[in-house]
Amino acid sequence: MQAKLSTMFQSLQVRNYRLFASGQLIKLIGVWMMFIAQDWLVLELSDNSATALGVVTALQFTPVLLLTLLSGRLADRYDKRVLLFAANAFWTVLALGMSLLVLTDLVQLWHVFAFAALLGTANAVETPVRQAFVSELVGTPLLPNALSLNAAVFNSARIVGPAVAGLAIAAFDVGPVFLFTALSSIAPLVNVVRMRTAELHRDALLPRDERASARVVDGLRYVWRRPDLLLPMAVMSVIGMSLFNFQLTLAALAKTVFHTGAASFGLFSTALAVGALGGALSGTGRRSRPSVWLVLGAAIACASFGTLVGFASTYWLVVTLLVPTGFFMVFFAQAANQRVQLGVDAAFRGRVMALWVLVFLGTNPVGAPLIGWVAEHFGAGASIWMGGLISLAAALIALTWQLRRSGARVRFRVLPMPRFYVTSTDC
């Protein structure tokens, strides 16, 4: 057990990564608390409008759609550590401003819309830079482990944040939650400054003069010529747009279908995050590039359980189904992320990860308003199972394409344990 735990958390032995992960954990707990408070505030200010909630989600992710590819270019040209500090500092200022509006009861719905858009701008810069920076913190050998631990940090915060936010909103209202978010965002600023630049792994990067000529279009062409990178990104774009909107759909489900309070909404998010944490930790022992079959199998499982959540008719059945949904959601996203990162040249990592963030988060501006409209007119449950079925269809189409392209076959084995497997020479 001690050896397994040592392997599972191996990247934490690297000082720079330990600083990075601890700062992210503190900040992300506050961020998830803020997401819950923001959604609850929107529902209060808009008379429980799921459409308004969808608009906020869209505004939050529209800058990702518009700016992420440019941010990837910045990541390949400039010091990622400096870029991270600047983006996080911008985030801190925004969070402080929003918390003052809420605490003084001056907040209006349009303030939330503007805050979401500006917050998305900070995310559009910070997220691809942070994704690409991990390889500089630990190097290629530890990269799969570090990526899995990143997901574990994210989902640990996703467990703690919503649970605490639900209780805090019930006890103190949303204002103190926004204030805590602002204060927690200082942690990554401090830890980025404390990193030792001499211990960063930057040997594989292009020389400075070649980095200066890095173009967005070169990154797009690079991915287009790589079907092994293009397929997981295509599947992620569909699932991200149609199913990964639980921030929106679970809030609507809690308040409009089961007529529960903030604490019960937090339980939905916590159940999803508990499964997600298990999915993240399950990949920490991985040391090689995941196969395309693992990625597609996880996508099918994620879509299947997501569909079942939408059809669930009781509160506790939803809570139960959200655990495996969260597990396969993160297991799929992490396997796809690792397949992309471990298959890309270091010189293109910033731009390729920017494209990954674009398909992972940037599709939300398209999907969120549609999902919100469906939730408002046909019910929150319908918005979830429809997204699940669309995602399942995309995963099955991708599986069929990959099987035909590689000449592989799907088989079913009964003994010693029933399972599907693929017979193929292409991994």
Side-chain angles (χ1 to χ4, degrees):
M1 178 62 70
Q2 184 178 0
K4 185 166 182 63
L5 289 176
S6 177
T7 301
M8 181 180 292
F9 299 104
Q10 190 173 1
S11 294
L12 292 178
Q13 298 173 12
V14 180
R15 181 182 182 275
N16 282 344
Y17 180 78
R18 192 163 59 247
L19 289 170
F20 172 82
S22 60
Q24 286 297 310
L25 178 61
I26 295 170
K27 174 189 173 182
L28 287 171
I29 289 174
V31 169
W32 277 105
M33 291 178 66
M34 184 271 296
F35 280 156
I36 300 298
Q38 175 185 271
D39 291 349
W40 210 252
L41 181 63
V42 169
L43 290 173
E44 289 180 349
L45 295 175
S46 65
D47 194 24
N48 295 334
S49 172
T51 300
L53 205 58
V55 170
V56 169
T57 304
L59 288 171
Q60 194 167 297
F61 289 104
T62 294
V64 177
L65 183 65
L66 299 177
L67 302 175
T68 293
L69 293 180
L70 294 176
S71 299
R73 184 189 180 203
L74 292 176
D76 281 337
R77 293 184 65 177
Y78 302 109
D79 191 325
K80 299 178 183 64
R81 180 170 163 268
V82 174
L83 291 173
L84 275 179
F85 183 90
N88 279 297
F90 183 50
W91 170 289
T92 302
V93 173
L94 286 175
L96 282 171
M98 187 64 185
S99 64
L100 289 175
L101 285 174
V102 179
L103 286 169
T104 55
D105 291 326
L106 296 176
V107 67
Q108 299 179 31
L109 188 59
W110 73 267
H111 291 144
V112 185
F113 289 163
F115 172 70
L118 291 172
L119 191 67
T121 302
N123 274 336
V125 175
E126 192 261 356
T127 305
V129 174
R130 171 167 43 83
Q131 290 272 350
F133 188 49
V134 177
S135 64
E136 294 188 17
L137 291 169
V138 298
T140 302
L142 287 178
L143 184 57
N145 177 257
L147 292 175
S148 295
L149 287 180
N150 278 0
V153 166
F154 179 85
N155 288 289
S156 296
R158 195 173 184 175
I159 293 171
V160 176
V164 174
L167 297 174
I169 292 171
F172 308 109
D173 207 357
V174 295
V177 176
F178 278 96
L179 181 59
F180 180 82
T181 297
L183 297 177
S184 67
S185 64
I186 297 174
L189 293 175
V190 174
N191 284 0
V192 163
V193 172
R194 293 177 60 201
M195 288 180 184
R196 297 169 181 165
T197 55
E199 296 178 7
L200 295 175
H201 298 259
R202 291 175 166 173
D203 295 340
L205 299 181
L206 286 173
R208 185 179 298 273
D209 57 340
E210 293 184 44
R211 276 187 278 155
S213 63
R215 300 182 304 169
V216 172
V217 67
D218 294 330
L220 296 176
R221 288 171 179 167
Y222 177 82
V223 173
W224 182 256
R225 293 193 297 264
R226 295 282 304 275
D228 60 319
L229 303 180
L230 193 59
L231 183 65
M233 287 190 178
V235 176
M236 177 54 75
S237 67
V238 177
I239 296 181
M241 180 173 62
S242 58
L243 185 60
F244 283 11
N245 288 285
F246 286 113
Q247 178 188 343
L248 158 64
T249 54
L250 291 183
L253 193 68
K255 194 155 190 177
T256 63
V257 176
F258 296 108
H259 308 289
T260 57
S264 296
F265 168 38
L267 182 59
F268 275 173
S269 297
T270 300
L272 186 73
V274 166
L277 179 59
L281 291 176
S282 66
T284 54
R286 191 176 293 136
R287 290 294 181 269
S288 60
R289 192 184 188 203
S291 72
V292 65
W293 312 116
L294 181 69
V295 173
L296 293 176
I300 292 171
C302 170
S304 299
F305 278 105
T307 303
L308 293 176
V309 169
F311 283 121
S313 57
T314 64
Y315 176 85
W316 287 108
L317 182 57
V318 172
V319 172
T320 302
L321 287 170
L322 282 172
V323 175
T325 301
F327 179 93
F328 285 108
M329 181 177 73
V330 171
F331 189 87
F332 157 63
Q334 195 57 44
N337 187 330
Q338 290 172 344
R339 182 161 178 81
V340 171
Q341 285 236 41
L342 292 173
V344 67
D345 295 330
F348 288 91
R349 182 168 278 114
R351 282 164 289 177
V352 172
M353 294 317 299
L355 185 58
W356 167 260
V357 172
L358 180 63
V359 301
F360 187 39
L361 300 177
T363 52
N364 274 275
V366 179
L370 295 175
I371 294 294
W373 183 86
V374 172
E376 191 162 330
H377 290 82
F378 300 100
S383 69
I384 297 175
W385 65 254
M386 285 182 186
L389 290 178
I390 293 171
S391 300
L392 183 59
L396 291 174
I397 290 171
L399 177 62
T400 302
W401 181 86
Q402 182 65 28
L403 288 170
R404 290 183 176 179
R405 179 175 177 270
S406 64
R409 295 290 184 270
V410 175
R411 308 292 186 189
F412 181 73
R413 177 182 295 168
V414 178
L415 296 175
M417 180 180 295
R419 69 182 183 94
F420 289 97
Y421 66 99
V422 176
T423 57
S424 172
T425 57
D426 178 18
C427 295

